[in-house]
Amino acid sequence: MSGEVPSRSGRARRIVRGPRPEAVPALVGRACAVVGVLDIAAGVFPRFRHSRMHAMAEVLPGSLGPFAAALSLSAGVLLLLLAHGLKRRKRRAWRAAVALLPAGAVSQFVYRHSVIGALISLALFVPLVIHRDEFKALPDPRSRWRALANFVLMSAGSLALGLVVVSAHPKRTIGDPSLADRLTHVLYGLFGFEGPVDYEGSTSWTVAFSLGALGLITAVTTIYLAFRPEHPAARLTEEDEAQLRALLEKHGARDSLGHFALRRDKAVVFSPSGKAAVTYRVVSGVMLASGDPIGDVEAWPGAIERFMDEAKAHSWTPAVMGCSETGGEVWTRETGLDALELGDEAVVDVADFSLAGRAMRNVRQMVKRIERAGYETRVRRIRDLGDAELERIRRAAEDWRGTDTERGFSMALGRIGDPTDGDCLIATAHKADETPGPYGDLKAILHFVPWGTDGVSLDLMRRDRTADPGMNELLIVAALQAAPKLGVTRISLNFAMFRSALARGEKIGAGPVLRAWRGLLVFLSRWFQIESLYKFNAKFQPRWEPRFVVYRASGDLPRIGLAAMQAEGFVSLALPLPRFLRRGSAPARPCPHHAAERDIRAA
């Protein structure tokens, strides 16, 4: 099935609905994992299938059996490690598999005398060679920390698999060694030494070779990752940032998330004309863009095409988080991807905002109570702050973050007070105490980034945990009231995920499916503050602008969701590092976002 898809640039792009181009690599990757498991089984359980070639075994050298067992086990472990890379069409994974599969076939034939096992390995070798042009994906961005991660994970896996190897020969084990003895034997064997467990016949050599092979794989892969040429994650260069700022100056009013493209831990691709750009970050093999493309709408298709070409070249999964309805239409039309409504952005028009009326009663009462408690507010541009005060605000924002985990990606700038961000808006709450804290009378902070020339978009919210509740409401109202003097006519607040489902599910007449979906969201709000963030936004009577996630296939959504949660800082798969190392690891750091009485921007 196919069709013609028009584009804004006047050309038509043909979208073919058929087998996905990555189908062959995916099948090869799964088959590679199966062969890897068979090779491991052959190395660990040499007689798990009855041999029919005993005659050949009589003429083989006795020492060849243990060696072949180690070779089979090594090839199986490496093939399992390569399976994911083959699914993603990685060229280096293909090269390694082409070298390993014949080795696995030889070990299957020599050690187990299994013609079937050897044929299975060779049967996978043939399509790898035939479809070699499918495996052209470039390597992922990486750093040397992956060597440490590899060492920890491979050591744990080798320890577990080694324990299986040691325990897989109960009839040939001398005595009844304890679990501690078996673990000790594994640890000694990984380093090439003999442990406390003894076996009859040549089994001792087989186990020793297998454990030594596991230890060697761990050492070789770790050394390779540590000394290979480093390709760190892409950063926004000064030239890229200058070009993006020029585009935002002309077209920044179109999208409230546009300024967040200036995060310096993102990479960027520009359209051939240079009039549009897409910024992104690669997380766990997912190429995550956020918001709409930057620049002239007519040039968006060119930037999107470059984005998709980059994703294809590296075999990354393309995805867009939080684009507008217009952005979603262009993305789906130009690429054939699908879009799903993710939630709504709360936008308050300054001219329509007022604390009067019954709907604003709770906010009005809270603000009045806090003002009577002695709090005052100040709303200024960053360029109007002195260096000493700006430094104090930075240190307070760092100290009040609340957790060690940095949060934010699609709706966070990752810095405060940069000289290039003079147009950013900052609202602060102050209270003169008899005993001032480490940051003087400063009690809370709101930071906004520009949205064109007449709008701002909320970046982060921080407050002293000893301050009275309601600091966020106080500063939002202060920003809205000061907005006319600063030339601001609209303020984008927070993004409320699944807002429409929550709103419709609580109304009279909602069906059982909608109520069940709302109930699930309320349950998840215990960890992700979905409902509380929606209710906090709703206090200010905003208009809701839908935001979408763009994805390739439904099967990619779990992976995209996990990558997005990693990027936003809600899930971390990295090894725990000392705090001083985390602080110094990157010049631009994401900002945290929590719910209503915590730091808010995205849930």
Side-chain angles (χ1 to χ4, degrees):
M1 178 180 178
S2 64
E4 296 292 335
V5 180
S7 70
R8 288 185 179 269
S9 58
R11 65 184 184 274
R13 185 171 299 178
R14 188 176 183 84
I15 298 176
V16 179
R17 307 293 184 183
R20 292 169 61 180
E22 62 272 19
V24 171
L27 290 174
V28 170
R30 295 188 185 98
C32 185
V34 172
V35 173
V37 171
L38 290 176
D39 284 342
I40 292 174
V44 177
F45 309 106
R47 302 299 177 190
F48 81 100
R49 182 178 294 178
H50 182 68
S51 172
R52 298 181 179 179
M53 301 184 65
H54 296 291
M56 183 173 291
E58 295 177 357
V59 300
L60 293 175
S63 61
L64 192 60
F67 174 77
L71 180 60
S72 180
L73 184 61
S74 303
V77 171
L78 291 174
L79 285 173
L80 280 179
L81 295 176
L82 293 171
H84 182 64
L86 289 173
K87 289 180 182 179
R88 297 181 58 203
R89 304 186 293 109
K90 295 298 183 181
R91 187 67 176 178
R92 290 183 177 179
W94 178 87
R95 291 171 179 168
V98 166
L100 282 171
L101 284 170
V106 170
S107 64
Q108 289 275 2
F109 184 79
V110 172
Y111 183 53
R112 288 184 51 232
H113 326 306
S114 172
V115 176
I116 295 178
L119 289 177
I120 290 176
S121 295
L122 294 177
L124 179 57
F125 178 82
V126 173
L128 270 177
V129 175
I130 293 176
H131 296 283
R132 56 186 177 274
D133 292 338
E134 296 282 347
F135 300 90
K136 292 184 177 180
L138 302 174
D140 291 346
R142 57 182 180 264
S143 69
R144 302 201 190 283
W145 286 111
R146 293 193 64 180
L148 178 59
N150 177 84
F151 176 75
V152 173
L153 295 176
M154 285 293 295
S155 296
S158 296
L159 188 64
L161 188 55
L163 191 60
V164 175
V165 171
V166 170
S167 305
H169 310 274
K171 295 182 180 180
R172 292 182 174 270
T173 304
I174 299 176
D176 186 19
S178 64
L179 179 61
D181 290 335
R182 296 173 190 268
L183 287 173
T184 302
H185 192 87
V186 172
L187 290 173
Y188 275 62
L190 293 176
F191 289 94
F193 299 104
E194 187 176 352
V197 181
D198 292 324
Y199 300 90
E200 297 176 355
S202 62
T203 303
S204 181
W205 286 99
T206 302
V207 172
F209 270 92
S210 299
L211 294 177
L214 290 174
L216 184 62
I217 290 174
T218 301
V220 169
T221 55
T222 301
I223 292 172
Y224 167 74
L225 292 173
F227 291 99
R228 67 179 176 172
E230 185 174 9
H231 294 273
R235 301 285 178 182
L236 203 64
T237 66
E238 292 183 4
E239 182 181 354
D240 291 337
E241 184 173 341
Q243 193 170 351
L244 284 172
R245 288 185 182 275
L247 294 176
L248 286 171
E249 187 176 351
K250 294 180 180 179
H251 307 283
R254 183 177 297 279
D255 185 15
S256 64
L257 307 187
H259 199 85
F260 297 123
L262 299 177
R263 286 180 63 101
R264 289 166 185 161
D265 57 356
K266 290 183 177 181
V268 61
V269 290
F270 291 93
S271 65
S273 64
K275 295 182 178 180
V278 176
T279 59
Y280 66 91
R281 187 198 296 174
V282 178
V283 182
S284 297
V286 178
M287 191 176 183
L288 277 176
S290 58
D292 292 344
I294 307 299
D296 188 355
V297 175
E298 297 298 327
W300 283 8
I304 291 173
E305 185 174 358
R306 287 278 180 88
F307 177 89
M308 297 299 293
D309 289 343
E310 190 77 4
K312 182 179 179 180
H314 292 83
S315 191
W316 292 330
T317 300
V320 185
M321 300 297 298
C323 65
S324 68
E325 188 169 2
T326 300
E329 290 175 353
V330 177
W331 273 101
T332 55
R333 181 180 61 241
E334 294 297 320
T335 63
L337 301 179
D338 292 323
L340 179 68
E341 184 173 343
L342 189 61
D344 295 272
E345 176 187 13
V347 178
V348 179
D349 294 312
V350 174
D352 298 333
F353 177 77
S354 173
L355 283 176
R358 184 177 181 84
M360 298 298 297
R361 179 182 177 184
N362 290 337
V363 175
R364 183 173 63 249
Q365 289 179 342
M366 179 171 289
V367 171
K368 293 293 185 183
R369 177 178 57 80
I370 297 174
E371 290 177 341
R372 288 194 298 268
Y375 289 89
E376 63 176 28
T377 60
R378 302 168 193 169
V379 182
R380 296 158 288 174
R381 297 284 184 182
I382 286 290
R383 59 173 174 265
D384 298 328
L385 273 67
D387 293 339
E389 183 178 9
L390 190 56
E391 179 59 26
R392 185 169 67 252
I393 289 173
R394 284 198 196 101
R395 290 190 290 107
E398 170 71 18
D399 188 41
W400 295 342
R401 188 174 63 239
T403 66
D404 289 334
T405 302
E406 294 286 1
R407 293 183 179 176
F409 166 67
S410 57
M411 300 178 183
L413 185 60
R415 59 185 183 266
I416 297 179
D418 190 275
T420 59
D421 297 324
D423 288 338
C424 289
L425 200 66
I426 193 160
T428 54
H430 305 262
K431 183 180 182 182
D433 293 329
E434 296 181 359
T435 56
Y439 310 111
D441 62 353
L442 184 64
K443 296 298 180 182
I445 303 165
L446 260 67
H447 187 254
F448 300 84
V449 300
W451 174 12
T453 58
D454 63 346
V456 292
S457 185
L458 181 59
D459 176 25
L460 64 81
M461 306 178 76
R462 305 281 171 81
R463 72 177 181 90
D464 187 343
R465 303 306 176 187
T466 64
D468 294 337
M471 290 292 102
N472 293 337
E473 289 89 340
L474 173 69
L475 288 179
I476 288 178
V477 170
L480 286 165
Q481 292 176 338
K485 297 179 181 179
L486 297 168
V488 175
T489 62
R490 51 186 178 168
I491 295 181
S492 169
L493 297 179
N494 307 296
F495 173 72
M497 185 176 292
F498 305 120
R499 194 276 315 176
S500 58
L502 289 169
R504 292 196 301 266
E506 63 184 359
K507 290 183 178 180
I508 297 176
V513 175
L514 190 56
R515 288 185 179 275
W517 175 225
R518 181 183 179 277
L520 177 61
L521 294 176
V522 171
F523 175 75
L524 294 176
S525 295
R526 298 179 182 182
W527 296 277
F528 300 105
Q529 292 87 36
I530 300 173
E531 184 185 31
S532 59
L533 190 57
Y534 155 59
K535 290 185 175 180
F536 178 83
N537 291 335
K539 291 180 181 180
F540 303 96
Q541 302 298 306
R543 56 182 169 89
W544 299 101
E545 298 290 341
R547 291 280 174 174
F548 298 83
V549 56
V550 177
Y551 59 98
R552 182 173 54 188
S554 299
D556 292 334
L557 285 175
R559 185 179 180 187
I560 293 171
L562 178 60
M565 294 180 71
Q566 287 179 253
E568 297 287 353
F570 290 101
V571 174
S572 176
L573 302 182
L575 293 173
L577 299 176
R579 188 180 180 90
F580 73 91
L581 286 179
R582 289 196 299 269
R583 289 185 176 185
S585 60
R589 306 182 328 158
C591 294
H593 306 289
H594 302 282
E597 274 305 315
R598 305 176 68 185
D599 304 332
I600 314 175
R601 177 64 197 178

